[in-house]
Amino acid sequence: MAIILGIESSCDETSASICIDGEIKSNIIAGQAVHAKYGGVVPELASRAHQQNIIPTVDQAIREAKVHKNEIDAVAFTRGPGLLGSLLVGTSFAKSFALARNIPLIDVNHMQAHILAHFIEDPKPSFPFLCLTVSGGHTQIVLVKDYFEMELLGETLDDAAGEAFDKTAKILQLPYPGGPLVDKYAQEGNPDAFSLPEPQIADLNFSFSGLKTAILYLVQKHEKENPDFLQENLKDVCASVQARIVSILLNKVKKAAKQTGIKDIAIAGGVSANSGLRSALLAMGDRYKWNVFIPKFEYCTDNAAMIAIAGYHKYLKQDFVGQEVAPLARLHL
Ligand code: KG4
Ligand code: ZN
């Protein structure tokens, strides 16, 4: 039997999870409301909140899983990519825990973990499959050949998809993180109300910065004629923006599927919680006869269950790191 403690602290979520033989027994997430009024994550405040939250979060994860801390066989933690000050808190905690208990330490790549969240529950994809990983900091199309063998086929050249949602929300005067709110309003709006450009980017890469500018101009133009434009059209603007972001993403997925001939298609990362993306992917899957894999909501946004499951698969390979390991703000797949 293998009991793994997973720790996630790369951005603004402190999370701990217990995985027993590949099964997630707890997944505790402490969010950080402190960033809302700043319109984005303030790194200094994030590190401090992680420092406050880490012990209670781990404690709760252990209790909820009904294990004793002495039974834990290994500690897996997010090494990067992410905010360095935030990563340091989880890394230091994991190192101390492993040292005190004399158990192995496992480093996990956050972007790989988002993809490996697909191995928490059935149905699990089989290798090779394609994964569109869309989060606050990344937008990638990945060819997943094995648990830890992943090839980047395309990525964003500027903003990430989550950033596009969050920056749009800021223009629309919604609090951070705006993605879930844009999603909520979009569900009641008309996606054809406003036309927004689709950037022409080569290969399997993405660009979202032009979209942000187009939204800003659209709002400014209409507000000149009607100062209440935003209040009156918020749902339609959200629906139009969301539809465009989704079409930019899925057109590239379609291209990647065609290029590789792969029909097992997954999505991962915070933006994979988006209702428009989920339903459009399902529809596209029906049309092109794909096997579509969409994680449960709780495993889309940042969570330690994905770190624990990634840790479990590294544990099976005895792939451990030493106490000298340090977090990395930038880390490739
Ligand atoms: O994966 P994640 O939790 O953290 C990072 O690793 O970045 O992703 C966070 C991103 C944020 O940009 C947030 O606005 C976005 O995911 N997001 C959403 C939704 N839920 C979270 N974007 C659109 N629709 C949603 N329902
Ligand atoms: Zn993430």
Side-chain angles (χ1 to χ4, degrees):
M1 191 166 80
I3 306 184
I4 313 292
L5 167 64
I7 307 281
E8 156 64 28
S9 75
S10 65
C11 190
D12 59 343
E13 242 99 34
T14 318
S15 182
S17 168
I18 293 285
C19 172
I20 304 183
D21 287 339
E23 233 182 86
I24 297 300
K25 298 293 181 185
S26 61
N27 180 34
I28 308 301
I29 302 169
Q32 303 183 356
V34 63
H35 309 292
K37 60 172 182 271
Y38 298 101
V41 176
V42 184
E44 180 82 22
L45 298 179
S47 324
R48 264 188 251 175
H50 282 302
Q51 194 68 266
Q52 288 174 331
N53 294 340
I54 188 100
I55 302 269
T57 305
V58 170
D59 192 47
Q60 199 181 335
I62 292 175
R63 271 186 290 124
E64 210 167 276
K66 296 190 172 57
V67 295
H68 190 275
K69 67 177 190 310
N70 296 347
E71 297 175 299
I72 294 169
D73 294 300
V75 192
F77 68 97
T78 304
R79 185 178 183 188
L83 300 170
L84 195 67
S86 291
L87 292 165
L88 273 165
V89 178
T91 305
S92 305
F93 177 88
K95 287 168 77 167
S96 319
F97 193 94
L99 188 66
R101 304 259 339 99
N102 195 25
I103 54 176
L105 192 57
I106 301 169
D107 67 327
V108 173
N109 178 315
H110 182 87
M111 299 313 294
Q112 287 191 350
H114 269 302
I115 295 172
L116 296 175
H118 284 285
F119 295 92
I120 294 176
E121 286 184 342
D122 290 330
K124 299 178 178 104
S126 43
F127 303 112
F129 65 93
L130 290 177
C131 188
L132 171 71
T133 315
V134 270
S135 71
H138 294 82
T139 301
Q140 304 178 329
I141 294 187
V142 181
L143 171 59
V144 188
K145 299 173 186 167
D146 205 339
Y147 291 107
F148 302 100
E149 205 190 326
M150 303 183 184
E151 185 186 333
L152 187 64
L153 300 183
E155 65 185 332
T156 185
L157 304 176
D158 41 56
D159 292 348
E163 230 174 330
F165 272 105
D166 297 337
K167 287 182 175 169
T168 298
K170 204 167 178 179
I171 295 170
L172 306 181
Q173 291 165 26
L174 300 171
Y176 178 87
L181 289 171
V182 172
D183 187 353
K184 185 180 135 202
Y185 292 118
Q187 289 178 35
E188 292 168 29
N190 171 10
D192 300 318
F194 300 99
S195 86
L196 292 161
E198 172 150 10
Q200 300 305 312
I201 305 295
D203 307 322
L204 295 173
N205 293 325
F206 303 90
S207 167
F208 289 99
S209 64
L211 183 63
K212 177 184 63 193
T213 314
I215 296 158
L216 185 65
Y217 287 164
L218 178 112
V219 171
Q220 284 175 347
K221 187 182 101 195
H222 284 91
E223 276 187 333
K224 263 192 205 141
E225 294 146 21
N226 173 12
D228 296 330
F229 170 75
L230 259 190
Q231 285 97 305
E232 290 169 10
N233 297 277
L234 184 63
K235 291 172 180 172
D236 286 348
V237 175
C238 287
S240 304
V241 171
Q242 179 167 301
R244 178 49 79 211
I245 294 176
V246 169
S247 80
I248 292 173
L249 292 171
L250 291 186
N251 282 340
K252 294 290 178 154
V253 170
K254 194 161 73 183
K255 194 170 174 182
K258 206 170 159 196
Q259 272 181 19
T260 58
I262 292 175
K263 285 178 174 285
D264 282 15
I265 314 284
I267 50 172
V271 180
S272 62
N274 183 265
S275 63
L277 178 61
R278 293 166 89 96
S279 58
L281 178 63
L282 285 172
M284 203 175 246
D286 270 352
R287 180 153 173 221
Y288 295 105
K289 308 268 177 299
W290 294 342
N291 299 313
V292 168
F293 298 88
I294 300 179
K296 250 194 189 169
F297 282 110
E298 63 193 290
Y299 302 135
C300 289
T301 44
D302 287 349
N303 66 87
M306 67 187 196
I307 306 302
I309 197 80
Y312 171 70
H313 286 284
K314 279 199 166 183
Y315 183 85
L316 294 179
K317 299 196 305 169
Q318 303 275 293
D319 186 352
F320 305 138
V321 284
Q323 278 287 334
E324 70 289 351
V325 67
L328 295 165
R330 290 172 152 271
L331 184 60
H332 294 297
L333 265 179

